[in-house]
Amino acid sequence: GAVVSQHPSRVICKSGTSVKIECRSLDFQATTMFWYRQFPKKSLMLMATSNEGSKATYEQGVEKDKFLINHASLTLSTLTVTSAHPEDSSFYICSLPNTDTQYFGPGTRLTVL
Amino acid sequence: QKEVEQDPGPLSVPEGAIVSLNCTYSNSAFQYFMWYRQYSRKGPELLMYTYSSGNKEDGRFTAQVDKSSKYISLFIRDSQPSDSATYLCAMSASKNNDMRFGAGTRLTVKP
């Protein structure tokens, strides 16, 4: 399967600050990457689809101005949580489509105090 | 009604038991069915992938899809403590697009 890395693995920040999460494909180029959010004991919810060279597409109810996505290259997508609030505390996971399914990164746990 | 329904458990079994995990779904357009295993504080890892109806076996794991009933299953034979994790079903109508997940079933295999 594909190798996907995320950085940082864990971040704690104060309310009102912005946090950037990186998702990298280590072994193949990806024109599309997906960003998910997972609350404790809940399933993964797709937030947005990151498209290299064009704007990201967001799922209904996800604020595009709050969750900024930049697909900088074929191996890197970043998610920036702007003006983070405690309710944004969650586990953020990216995934890459490859052949028939998706391969997930290890996730980033965000805690907003 | 949720698109994908999965009993969150928790499910606890003794080592060596056969485990049955299930999901039901409502969208008849789903064609691709996956099972992911997620350890605590880690990203999901792909276990099994099935296209359309039928069975697929990989070692101790067997995935079944019954599209007529909109029901999928994952069986784990000779369960091991290392199988303790949350198991997520996932499905989509087209390759790599718009994947929908179940809530995940937390499994504990006791030695």
Side-chain angles (χ1 to χ4, degrees):
Chain A
V3 180
V4 184
S5 72
Q6 275 185 247
H7 177 79
S9 59
R10 181 181 297 184
V11 59
I12 300 173
C13 69
K14 292 182 179 180
S15 184
T17 59
S18 295
V19 175
K20 180 186 283 188
I21 303 170
E22 292 185 348
C23 175
R24 290 183 186 274
S25 170
L26 300 183
D27 56 355
F28 75 98
Q29 295 179 330
T31 56
T32 300
M33 296 183 184
F34 300 102
W35 284 98
Y36 291 84
R37 181 167 51 185
Q38 186 178 35
F39 291 106
K41 299 187 179 180
K42 300 291 184 183
S43 190
L44 283 79
M45 296 299 294
L46 180 66
M47 297 176 66
T49 301
S50 172
N51 305 298
E52 193 270 338
S54 63
K55 291 182 180 180
T57 53
Y58 290 81
E59 294 299 298
Q60 190 174 11
V62 179
E63 300 175 57
K64 63 179 182 178
D65 294 329
K66 181 170 181 63
F67 299 99
L68 301 178
I69 290 175
N70 181 20
H71 201 128
S73 72
L74 290 172
T75 59
L76 174 64
S77 175
T78 61
L79 168 68
T80 301
V81 183
T82 62
S83 186
H85 291 282
E87 58 265 30
D88 298 322
S89 298
S90 187
F91 194 50
Y92 292 86
I93 312 175
C94 67
S95 76
L96 276 65
N98 186 13
T99 312
D100 295 327
T101 185
Q102 297 181 27
Y103 292 92
F104 288 85
T108 297
R109 184 161 302 280
L110 170 64
T111 303
V112 185
L113 303 176
Chain B
Q1 182 188 11
K2 293 180 183 177
E3 270 193 301
V4 182
E5 298 272 5
Q6 183 178 10
D7 186 342
L11 179 62
S12 180
V13 301
E15 184 174 356
I18 297 175
V19 177
S20 173
L21 304 167
N22 312 292
C23 288
T24 59
Y25 62 95
S26 58
N27 188 345
S28 58
F30 289 144
Q31 297 275 7
Y32 299 85
F33 304 92
M34 282 72 61
W35 285 95
Y36 286 86
R37 178 174 60 195
Q38 185 176 24
Y39 292 110
S40 182
R41 301 176 185 273
K42 301 291 184 183
E45 59 177 306
L46 181 66
L47 267 182
M48 300 285 283
Y49 162 80
T50 309
Y51 171 71
S52 194
S53 285
N55 295 356
K56 188 172 186 178
E57 188 173 324
D58 183 2
R60 296 184 294 110
F61 298 89
T62 300
Q64 289 185 352
V65 175
D66 182 350
K67 289 188 67 181
S68 63
S69 301
K70 297 190 179 66
Y71 187 89
I72 70 171
S73 302
L74 177 71
F75 297 96
I76 307 173
R77 292 185 299 280
D78 188 25
S79 56
Q80 304 294 309
S82 58
D83 295 329
S84 298
T86 296
Y87 290 81
L88 297 151
C89 64
M91 46 200 79
S92 64
S94 57
K95 273 188 189 181
N96 293 320
N97 286 330
D98 211 10
M99 193 179 290
R100 301 296 175 181
F101 287 83
T105 299
R106 180 179 288 184
L107 171 68
T108 301
V109 181
K110 295 184 176 180

